[in-house]
């Protein structure tokens, strides 16, 4: 039975109820459940949206219906299958269904909708009851072999187009599942379900899979160009705050400044060398024990005095926070009794084994969020700490047995991917309550909607290699399309790298050049050789990696890094404009070429270049010992090569020399005179 109610289209199919509801511009939210009512949870669709009056048509004779919201039309056919069309009648998305066709109505045939009589008995929506309660869910769509797909968050692979990829819908260290995908066919699709599962964009079908859930929930939008789709997605899921000016500069971090004296010595050296620096970072185990959330007084005796000196130098302080609570810490027992910790379904209630038995704070619990913020406010924020590093945000279980953990909001299998959203929300809400505006916090994971809580996502504990650098380029662009415009990496990678190794010096230089044009430019890494621990107790137990400061890699690398640090500082006005667009409309700060040049078919194929803001085209050097590389210049504008000043025609591929001290950068010809002084002042253009 198909019927209309309150501006929505419904399909009642025995005990299944499907709802198609207008949700934002040119968009629908689609839900299905076998329970008497929907859960009422909006998940990523958290922003208020204006009511859109839809047009509904129902054909009672053959059990068909359709609903139109702006440019998007959803149809339910006589066989209870769903399909979506744009304003030109082009099919965007259709459920994959292989059932016997009993009746071929002339009206359906008149629309030239092909049907295939199949004995496979496969439905486009499959609810399979789990023992005890709730459902395993699979939602299937027809595959288009010519379609290109982008977004979905952070997966450690070096390709941008996700067609034919199989992706785990789960978080791990260096993996963030953000399930929004943009299609070259002109639609966007959000899997609005935080359950653990996977998605397969295969040649024969697309299949979304949740291991345990109460309902199907997804959102579909369409547009004439990628920017329209992206902005409609941002309108329903949220945009980032306005990035504060200081955050647009250079951030210095390492594993790990062990003491107050070490940190201040580094900061003073930056100022002595007249190097621009915006943020300096205190990494993990500056605390006496996990779960204490305070400075170890032996190594950080005067944090207020230290922060005051940093502020006088114009440097903000970021402090690492872990969600781990050691079982022997002073807050563990209270948090355990109050239900503020992630629980285990079986076995002992320990979720991480690292320098002791630890539980994870359950940020899905609103009371736990309040409790945690009060500790953090008292011991960090009130002392002058400016921003936080939210590490272990997946969370990083010692064993990723997703079926063994339970949150306040439900089982990990059903709600686990929302954990990093609640983690970021804890800090965002707390800082807002204290009157802070334009909040930004570094976090190691995200899900759809994290961006509105000031989440600056970084790509986790990644390898120090050119392969890893190639991965990060694809990741950053797909994170941007997935709706996470604030993203960064550890310059040089995290694992490995020896400061005086010539090959590593080449890698870290190339990475530094690339990072200059990322949303945030941040140095970090676990360099070799390590130092010995300072003591067997408290914050002294952990070793430290070798230096990461720009002068640590030899004179040649340092000279190049100085230029790019100065360039970053000189580009702040330009970066501010890009950040304003991200804040107001959800525009990615870094973008694949097709985003700005959707009519250029070649732009959809380029995966090793990107736009930084509206005018700068960046072609990073991604292979060791590269002396030159090809660069495609999209059609529709002329381009100026920054290094040479040469004017080139769009729609062409050029070969560009890539000496170690620079990477190819091109600017739209119309904006060249505005941006040229920044490069000249940095010594990167004549």
């Amino acid at each position: 039975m198909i019927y209309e109610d309150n501006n929505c289209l419904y399909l009642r199919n025995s005990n299944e109820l499907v709802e198609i509801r207008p949700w934002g511009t040119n968009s629908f939210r689609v839900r299905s459940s076998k329970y008497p009512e929907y859960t009422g949870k909006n998940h990523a669709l958290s922003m208020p949206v204006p009511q859109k009056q839809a047009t509904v048509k129902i054909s009672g004779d053959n059990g068909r219906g359709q609903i139109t919201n702006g440019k998007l039309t959803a149809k339910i056919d006589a066989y209870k299958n769903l399909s979506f069309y744009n304003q030109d009648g082009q099919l965007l998305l259709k459920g994959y269904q292989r059932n016997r066709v009993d009746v071929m109505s002339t009206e359906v045939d008149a629309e030239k909708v092909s049907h295939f009589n199949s004995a496979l008995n496969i439905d486009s929506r499959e609810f399979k009851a789990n023992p005890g309660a709730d459902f395993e869910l699979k939602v299937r769509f027809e595959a288009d072999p010519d379609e290109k797909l982008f977004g979905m968050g952070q997966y450690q692979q070096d390709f941008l187009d996700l067609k034919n990829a199989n992706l785990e819908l789960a978080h791990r260290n260096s993996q963030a599942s953000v399930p929004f995908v943009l299609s070259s066919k002109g639609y966007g699709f959000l899997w609005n379900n935080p359950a653990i599962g996977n998605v397969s964009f295969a040649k024969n079908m697309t299949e979304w899979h949740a291991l345990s859930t109460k309902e199907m929930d997804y959102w579909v939008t369409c547009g004439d160009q990628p920017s329209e789709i992206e902005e409609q997605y941002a309108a329903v899921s949220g945009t980032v705050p306005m990035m504060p000016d200081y955050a647009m500069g250079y951030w210095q971090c390492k594993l790990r400044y062990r003491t107050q004296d070490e940190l201040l010595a580094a900061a003073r050296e930056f100022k002595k060398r007249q190097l621009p620096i915006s943020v300096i970072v205190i990494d993990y185990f500056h605390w006496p024990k996990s779960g204490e959330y305070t400075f170890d007084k032996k190594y950080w005796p005067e944090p207020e005095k230290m922060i005051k000196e940093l502020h006088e130098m114009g440097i903000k302080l970021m402090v690492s926070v872990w969600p781990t609570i050691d079982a022997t810490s002073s807050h563990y027992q209270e948090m355990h009794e109050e239900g503020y910790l992630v629980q285990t379904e079986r076995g002992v209630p320990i979720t991480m084994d690292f320098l002791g038995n630890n539980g994870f704070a359950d940020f899905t619990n609103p009371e736990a969020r309040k409790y945690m913020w009060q500790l953090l406010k008292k011991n960090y924020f009130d002392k002058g700490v400016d921003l936080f590093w939210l590490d272990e945000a997946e969370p990083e279980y010692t064993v990723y047995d997703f079926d063994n953990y339970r949150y306040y909001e439900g089982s990990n299998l059903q709600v686990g991917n929302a954990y990093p959203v609640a983690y970021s929300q804890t800090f965002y809400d707390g800082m807002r309550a204290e009157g802070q505006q334009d909040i930004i916090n570094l976090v190691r994971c995200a899900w759809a909607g994290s961006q509105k809580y000031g989440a600056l996502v970084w790509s986790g504990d990644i390898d120090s290699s050119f392969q890893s650098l190639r991965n990060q380029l694809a990741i950053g662009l797909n994170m941007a399309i997935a709706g996470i415009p604030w993203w960064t990496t550890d310059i040089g990678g995290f694992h490995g790298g020896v400061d005086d190794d010539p090959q590593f010096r080449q890698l870290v230089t190339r990475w530094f050049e690339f990072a200059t044009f990322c949303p945030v430019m941040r140095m970090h890494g676990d360099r070799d050789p390590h130092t010995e621990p300072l003591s067997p107790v408290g914050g002294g137990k952990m070793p430290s990696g070798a230096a990461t400061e720009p002068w640590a890699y030899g004179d040649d690398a340092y000279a190049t890094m100085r230029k790019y640090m100065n360039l970053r500082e000189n580009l702040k006005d330009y970066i501010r404009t890009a950040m304003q667009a991200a804040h107001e409309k959800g525009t990615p700060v870094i973008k694949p070429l097709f985003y700005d040049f959707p009519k250029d078919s070649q732009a959809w194929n380029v995966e090793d270049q990107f736009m930084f803001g509206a005018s700068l085209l960046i072609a990073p050097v991604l292979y060791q010992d590269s002396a030159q590389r090809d660069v495609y210049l999209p059609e529709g504008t002329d381009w100026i090569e920054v290094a040479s000043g040469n004017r080139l025609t769009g729609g062409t591929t050029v070969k560009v020399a890539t000496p170690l001290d620079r990477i190819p950068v091109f600017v739209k010809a119309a904006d060249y005179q505005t941006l040229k002084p920044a490069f000249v002042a940095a010594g990167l253009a004549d």
Side-chain angles (χ1 to χ4, degrees), residues 171-281:
H171 306 314
R172 298 172 183 263
N173 185 338
S174 77
Q175 176 174 296
S177 176
V178 188
F180 175 77
V181 64
L182 184 149
S183 167
S184 59
K185 294 176 67 174
Y187 70 86
F189 181 97
L190 170 70
W191 180 249
N192 191 37
N193 189 328
I196 305 299
N198 71 287
V199 60
S200 176
F201 299 116
K203 187 176 182 178
N204 59 328
M205 76 170 77
T206 292
E207 182 179 82
W208 297 84
H209 178 208
L211 289 169
S212 180
T213 192
K214 297 181 186 299
E215 65 188 11
M216 180 189 80
D217 189 348
Y218 63 81
W219 178 84
V220 183
T221 191
C222 76
D224 297 330
Q225 52 193 11
S227 59
E228 185 178 7
I229 294 168
E230 199 74 25
E231 289 168 17
Q232 289 165 186
Y233 171 47
V236 298
S237 63
T239 63
V240 289
M242 180 58 195
M243 182 176 279
D245 274 9
Y246 73 82
M248 301 175 199
Y250 172 82
W251 299 30
Q252 172 60 33
C253 184
K254 67 167 288 186
L255 186 116
R256 46 192 276 278
Y257 293 115
R258 300 172 296 174
T259 69
Q260 181 174 318
D261 289 342
E262 285 187 0
L263 183 87
L264 286 174
R268 291 166 185 156
E269 186 65 21
F270 272 91
K271 289 302 173 181
K272 179 182 176 182
R273 292 171 179 261
Q274 298 183 317
L275 293 173
I277 175 173
S278 297
V279 178
I280 197 164
V281 186

Side-chain angles (χ1 to χ4, degrees), residues 435-487:
Q436 186 162 333
Q437 301 295 318
D438 298 338
I439 295 165
I440 180 171
N441 289 308
L442 187 68
V443 61
R444 203 174 68 184
C445 198
W447 192 68
S450 284
Q451 67 277 0
K452 63 180 171 288
Y453 296 122
L456 163 62
V457 186
W458 99 96
S459 55
D461 296 347
I462 54 175
D463 186 47
S464 294
S465 65
F466 275 96
Q467 176 61 60
S468 182
L469 175 56
R470 294 192 290 275
N471 293 351
Q472 306 323 302
L473 173 57
I475 287 169
L477 296 175
N478 272 328
M479 281 288 276
I481 295 299
I484 309 293
W486 289 357
W487 174 87

Side-chain angles (χ1 to χ4, degrees), residues 64 66 75 85 105-114:
R64 296 172 60 248
Q66 71 178 52
K75 296 183 180 182
Y85 299 80
S105 76
T106 55
E107 185 175 353
V108 171
D109 290 343
E111 288 195 357
K112 298 180 180 179
V113 178
S114 62

Side-chain angles (χ1 to χ4, degrees), residues 29 47 57 70 89 98 117 281 309 340 359 364 398 453 466 582 584 653 668:
R29 183 183 185 184
M47 303 304 293
K57 297 179 181 179
R98 295 294 184 271
N117 194 318
V281 186
E309 182 177 346
Y340 295 166
T364 73
T398 293
Y453 296 122
F466 275 96
E584 293 178 351
T653 298
K668 288 180 179 177

Side-chain angles (χ1 to χ4, degrees), residues 139-192:
V139 179
R140 306 178 178 100
F141 295 98
E142 297 283 355
D144 182 341
D146 297 323
E147 183 177 26
K148 292 181 180 294
L149 299 169
F150 308 92
M152 290 302 299
Q154 180 166 279
Y155 293 89
Q156 293 295 327
Q157 52 208 22
D158 63 1
F159 49 87
L160 191 60
D161 180 7
L162 300 173
K163 184 62 178 177
N164 298 322
N166 187 301
L167 305 175
E168 182 184 42
L169 299 177
H171 306 314
R172 298 172 183 263
N173 185 338
S174 77
Q175 176 174 296
S177 176
V178 188
F180 175 77
V181 64
L182 184 149
S183 167
S184 59
K185 294 176 67 174
Y187 70 86
F189 181 97
L190 170 70
W191 180 249
N192 191 37

Side-chain angles (χ1 to χ4, degrees), residues 331-584:
H331 303 295
Y332 180 88
Q333 191 60 34
E334 180 182 8
M335 294 185 71
H336 175 69
E337 291 176 357
E338 293 286 352
Y340 295 166
L341 300 176
V342 174
Q343 302 298 307
T344 54
E345 304 281 36
R346 55 190 180 273
V348 296
I350 298 300
T351 47
M352 188 182 196
D353 175 20
F354 183 78
L355 295 183
N357 295 324
N358 294 269
F360 279 102
D362 182 0
F363 291 104
T364 73
N365 183 335
E367 293 303 314
R369 292 200 294 269
K370 294 177 185 177
Y371 180 93
M372 289 291 291
W373 174 248
Q374 289 308 308
L375 291 177
L376 297 158
K377 176 182 179 298
K378 175 183 177 183
N379 295 326
Y380 294 119
F381 189 81
D382 288 350
K383 295 182 186 299
V385 169
D386 300 288
L387 63 164
F388 293 91
W389 178 357
L390 314 184
D391 211 341
E392 300 292 321
E394 301 78 23
E396 187 182 12
Y397 296 111
T398 293
V399 180
Y400 286 111
D401 285 339
F402 296 114
D403 64 330
N404 192 35
Y405 307 112
R406 181 167 292 273
Y407 302 109
Y408 171 88
E409 286 285 343
S411 73
N412 184 36
L413 286 183
Q414 289 201 0
V415 304
N417 286 332
Y419 183 92
V421 183
Y423 192 8
S424 288
Q425 182 184 359
T426 301
F427 289 77
Y428 181 85
D429 288 349
M431 296 166 85
R432 280 291 299 270
E434 295 302 313
Q436 186 162 333
Q437 301 295 318
D438 298 338
I439 295 165
I440 180 171
N441 289 308
L442 187 68
V443 61
R444 203 174 68 184
C445 198
W447 192 68
S450 284
Q451 67 277 0
K452 63 180 171 288
Y453 296 122
L456 163 62
V457 186
W458 99 96
S459 55
D461 296 347
I462 54 175
D463 186 47
S464 294
S465 65
F466 275 96
Q467 176 61 60
S468 182
L469 175 56
R470 294 192 290 275
N471 293 351
Q472 306 323 302
L473 173 57
I475 287 169
L477 296 175
N478 272 328
M479 281 288 276
I481 295 299
I484 309 293
W486 289 357
W487 174 87
T488 185
T489 67
D490 296 351
I491 293 176
F494 179 75
H495 288 296
V498 180
D499 290 351
D500 60 0
D501 178 359
Q503 290 188 349
F504 179 70
R505 287 182 173 183
Q506 181 185 158
L507 171 68
V508 75
T509 300
R510 291 304 195 190
W511 208 308
F512 202 94
E513 293 165 348
F514 161 68
T516 304
F517 305 100
C518 285
V520 164
M521 182 183 189
R522 171 180 157 273
M523 175 66 78
H524 187 48
D526 183 13
R527 303 285 171 257
D528 288 326
H530 282 178
T531 63
E532 293 298 321
L534 293 173
S535 75
V537 295
K541 289 191 292 186
M542 292 301 300
S544 174
T548 63
E549 294 80 13
W551 55 85
Y553 309 107
D555 292 343
D556 290 343
Y558 176 54
T560 299
M561 291 180 182
R562 176 186 280 275
K563 290 179 181 180
Y564 280 90
M565 291 174 75
N566 286 324
L567 174 62
R568 179 79 183 194
E569 197 71 15
N570 298 341
L571 285 173
K572 273 191 174 180
D573 287 344
Y574 176 78
I575 297 170
R576 189 177 299 110
T577 301
M579 294 300 173
Q580 190 73 34
H583 169 55
E584 293 178 351

